[in-house]
Each structure stands twice: as C-alpha cells, then as structure tokens.
Amino acid sequence: MSEGILEVSDSSFDSEVLQSEIPVLVDFWAPWCGPCKAIGPVIEEISKDYKDKIKFVKFNVDNNPVTPGNLGIRAIPTLILFKGGEQLEQIVGMVGKPKIEETLNKSL
Amino acid sequence: MKAADYDLVIIGSGPAGLTAAIYAARARLNVLVLEKVAPGGQILVTDWIENFPGFPEGISGADLVMKMTEQVRRFGVEIETNEVLSLDFSEDMKKLTLNDRTISTKTVIIATGASPRKLGIPGEEDFFGKGVSACATCDAPFYRDKVVAAVGGGDTAVQESIYLTRFVKKVYLIHRRNELRATRILQERAFANDKIEIVWDSVPTSVNGSIFGVESISIKNVKTDEASDLSVDGCFIWVGISPNTGFIKDALEVDKSGFIVANAKMETSVPGVYAAGDVRNTPLRQVATAVGDSAIAAFEAANYIENL
C-alpha cells in the first residue's frame, strides 16, 4: 500500500508498539478493505506532520490474526493510539484528517 | 462579475464528483474538487460491482474509484482534502467557507452522496466496531464460522448478506416486510443460499452484548408483536441511506428526506448550483446514474459560465 510507513506484525508488535518510547498510532488494515486503502494516503500525509512526536505503523490483520484478536478488533479500518503500552484512543471506521489530528493532539 | 477563485467547485469525490471533474477539466474550466475524507464514497465498501458497463467480470468498488481518480488526475485536476462548513449563495459569485479559508466560485456541483442510515436502537452506537457494522467487505472476515444478523431488504442488504456467507456460518436476514425489495437476481441468489435464513416481518429492537462485543439482537415481529432474541456475534445494518447535506442548511431546496431537488439538467433551486449522484432526489442510486448526472451537471455548468 503506502510507502514509508513501518509495517508491524504479530511478532514485532510488542517491541515496535508496546515498548515504544513515544506514542504509536497503529493503522489496522487489510488488502480487502476499500476504506482502509482510501485512508492510507491520508494517514501517511498526517504522519509527516507528527514526525518524531508520534510513530505511525501499519498492521495487516489478514496476515497477523493474533494481535487483532487480543485487542478485540472486529472492524477495520481501526486506528489505535498506544502510549507506554496502553491503549489511549481508538477510532473505528473511515474518518477524515481533522478527526484523526484532533485525537492525536489530545495525547501530546 | 468580479473575478472568482474558480469557475467550478465540485463538492465530493465519489463517482459523481470524479466524473464531473473529468468533464469540467475537458471543458477547460478552472475547477477544484473538495473531499472531506478520501476519494471514493460509498462504493469503497462495495465488494463487487456487476452492473457498471465495461467490466464484464465485475470490478471492486475500491478499484473502480482508483481508476476514476487516476483519470481525474490525468486531466490535471487537484483533489483537495477539505470540508465545506457553509455556503453563501446570496450573490452571483458563490462563496464556500472551508476549514481554513473562504473561496469564491461561479458554479458549484454538489456530489456529496449519502451515508448508511442508522436504526436508532439501543446498543447500535455502543457496539459500533465491536460487532455492529455497515461494511461487509471490511469486516466479514472477522466473523469466520460465526452467526451474524443482517438488517434490511434492499439491494445492499441482500447483496452484502450473500457476500457474508463466504465467511460466516449463518446469516439471519431480518426484514420488516414479507417480501424483499432487492432486484430479482439478488433475491434468487439469496433464496438459493442455504446459509441465509430470512426473518420476515420483523424489526430489531436492540443490540445486546458485553465488553467482548455483540452477543445477541432482540427482534419483534410486527404482525404478532412477539419479541425474541437471536444469538449472534455481529450485526450488519443496511436500512437505506441519508443524504450528506448537513452543510447546506437552507441554501437550497431539498425534498422531505433531505435529498437536493434538481431537474433533468441537474439544476437546483439556485442558478449555477447543480446536484449530481446519490445526494439528488433521484429514483435510482447507482454508479451508472451518478456518472450520468455528473456529465450533465458539468456540461450545464460550462454553459452557465459561458452565458455569464
């Protein structure tokens, strides 16, 4: 899908997300999800504005079923913001840039 | 007339907005497309489109919209992510207030489409994303070998229920009447699918569950008033659409359901302002009708500008 955003898996979720020093926004997506494909570029654009403050990663739920199962994810796109290993915010469904930015700003 | 920022501003970038952009660019109009979220609209959640000509095998909604977007960009049109907060049509030069600025334009095509309607029953909002969904192509794989409810009886409800059966063990299709409204070919497929059980004459009254998500849906038979619960892991709701017209307020004439009133030339109650696609009061809401509306709307907008 989009370039430049780290793809995290079940095996790297702990080290890349839960153990991260800075907050992490995880974009749970799958190739069969049209809205996920559509908001991919939006998230990539936002990621540039939050460089060094928030880490942006993508998580393919199709290849990695364990983590979404543990988190109770039953819909995508789902965006979850983690800070210090805890879930801080969650956005489900296709939303616009202002809504995502508003959610991220709350955590900064 | 004073110089306007644009000849034409197109609000929305689903199939209607994108088609208008292609026609406007080819008419050499100075055009801006505004999109609130991302290009596509409702067809992004459509798994497979079988009734748009030119794709004999069918095409996914996401792929079709990507091809349309590519075509728009090829003609040099910019799609800006921004939201129209309000409209001012009191003068010939129309003004649109966006998130970050106000722009002026000679003409406007409103192609903001529609969104899935909600049932408004307890649990629906609370369990959104935790079992309640309106997008089978997004969420069906989370319900592999599970039992789900689908609510509705139109094309979307029936087509998406059939799609769900690729993953789930069973779909209860809950419909308030004793016959479906969906097109015949879809009805035939649903009746022939042994994973679909149609629950006739029934309406949902609440979605129930726990911190783990949806666990059941309560329904009521509208003829007997008998109430019952169905154990389900998910609930998909397809009970029609509402127009995305919140920003219009009273700037244009709308019908009693809120769809913009426009004539065969796509002209609304304000000269130079056109409506196209699902947002218009139209008897049929399809990709094919949206692109047709938009070709006319862009043509009429170009004519209007020529005669200013």
Side-chain angles (χ1 to χ4, degrees), chain A residues 12-40:
Chain A
S12 62
F13 187 76
D14 184 71
S15 60
E16 293 289 353
V17 178
L18 301 181
Q19 307 296 330
S20 168
E21 303 260 318
I22 58 170
V24 188
L25 184 77
V26 188
D27 170 13
F28 293 89
W29 73 287
W32 29 258
C33 164
C36 300
K37 284 189 202 170
I39 67 163

Side-chain angles (χ1 to χ4, degrees), chain B:
Chain B
M1 196 190 222
K2 283 179 293 181
D5 298 331
Y6 299 98
D7 293 328
L8 168 65
V9 173
I10 298 165
I11 311 174
S13 67
L18 294 172
T19 303
I22 293 166
Y23 277 78
R26 292 170 59 84
R28 296 282 185 245
L29 299 184
N30 172 18
V31 59
L32 174 69
V33 180
L34 296 171
E35 167 56 49
K36 195 164 86 168
V37 180
Q42 291 180 100
I43 62 162
L44 285 174
V45 305
T46 309
D47 165 55
W48 212 241
I49 296 172
E50 288 184 332
N51 55 9
F52 191 67
F55 299 91
E57 313 296 330
I59 184 167
S60 83
D63 284 346
L64 181 58
V65 87
M66 269 173 210
K67 283 177 187 290
M68 289 182 177
T69 309
E70 208 180 296
Q71 197 169 350
V72 166
R73 297 220 160 102
R74 219 191 98 207
F75 287 110
V77 179
E78 202 47 52
I79 302 171
E80 180 181 323
T81 307
N82 212 324
E83 189 174 0
V84 178
L85 303 177
S86 63
L87 306 163
D88 179 0
F89 294 157
S90 58
E91 290 170 49
D92 280 352
M93 179 109 77
K94 284 118 188 122
K95 293 201 183 73
L96 309 182
T97 303
L98 312 182
N99 274 326
D100 57 342
R101 67 188 194 281
T102 297
I103 57 175
S104 61
T105 179
K106 293 173 187 165
T107 60
V108 177
I109 294 177
I110 299 172
T112 45
S115 301
R117 199 184 289 153
K118 296 201 164 86
L119 287 165
I121 59 172
E124 184 183 19
E125 291 280 345
D126 300 339
F127 292 109
F128 183 75
K130 299 187 190 86
V132 174
S133 173
C135 179
T137 56
C138 307
D139 304 337
F142 292 107
Y143 298 92
R144 223 173 276 273
D145 301 319
K146 309 252 183 188
V147 178
V148 299
V151 185
D155 280 353
T156 304
V158 175
Q159 180 168 358
E160 300 300 297
S161 293
I162 295 164
Y163 178 80
L164 283 171
T165 61
R166 294 196 212 167
F167 301 89
V168 305
K169 190 160 70 185
K170 181 178 184 137
V171 180
Y172 289 109
L173 178 56
I174 301 164
H175 185 51
R176 65 193 151 101
R177 296 190 301 148
N178 61 0
E179 59 180 351
L180 300 174
R181 205 179 56 242
T183 194
R184 280 303 160 95
I185 188 168
L186 293 175
Q187 291 197 28
E188 288 161 14
R189 287 180 196 167
F191 295 145
N193 191 316
D194 55 16
K195 284 184 175 179
I196 297 179
E197 180 182 330
I198 305 181
V199 183
W200 299 108
D201 300 315
S202 297
V203 292
T205 51
S206 70
V207 181
N208 322 304
S210 67
I211 51 159
F212 302 109
V214 170
E215 289 167 351
S216 70
I217 182 167
S218 300
I219 58 169
K220 190 183 81 175
N221 185 301
V222 293
K223 286 195 172 149
T224 64
D225 257 358
E226 193 189 333
S228 57
D229 277 9
L230 298 171
S231 287
V232 295
D233 300 289
C235 175
F236 289 80
I237 298 166
W238 294 296
V239 289
I241 52 170
S242 325
N244 299 326
T245 47
F247 64 101
I248 289 171
K249 303 190 176 75
D250 48 10
L252 292 174
E253 187 190 343
V254 297
D255 69 13
K256 63 179 184 344
S257 307
F259 292 95
I260 299 172
V261 175
N263 62 20
K265 291 178 169 181
M266 308 306 145
E267 294 166 326
T268 67
S269 54
V270 173
V273 178
Y274 306 85
D278 286 4
V279 77
R280 184 170 79 93
N281 66 333
T282 172
L284 185 64
R285 295 189 170 84
Q286 295 283 303
V287 180
T289 54
V291 305
D293 279 7
S294 292
I296 295 171
F299 173 77
E300 292 298 332
N303 274 347
Y304 177 88
I305 291 165
E306 200 116 301
N307 294 321
L308 276 179

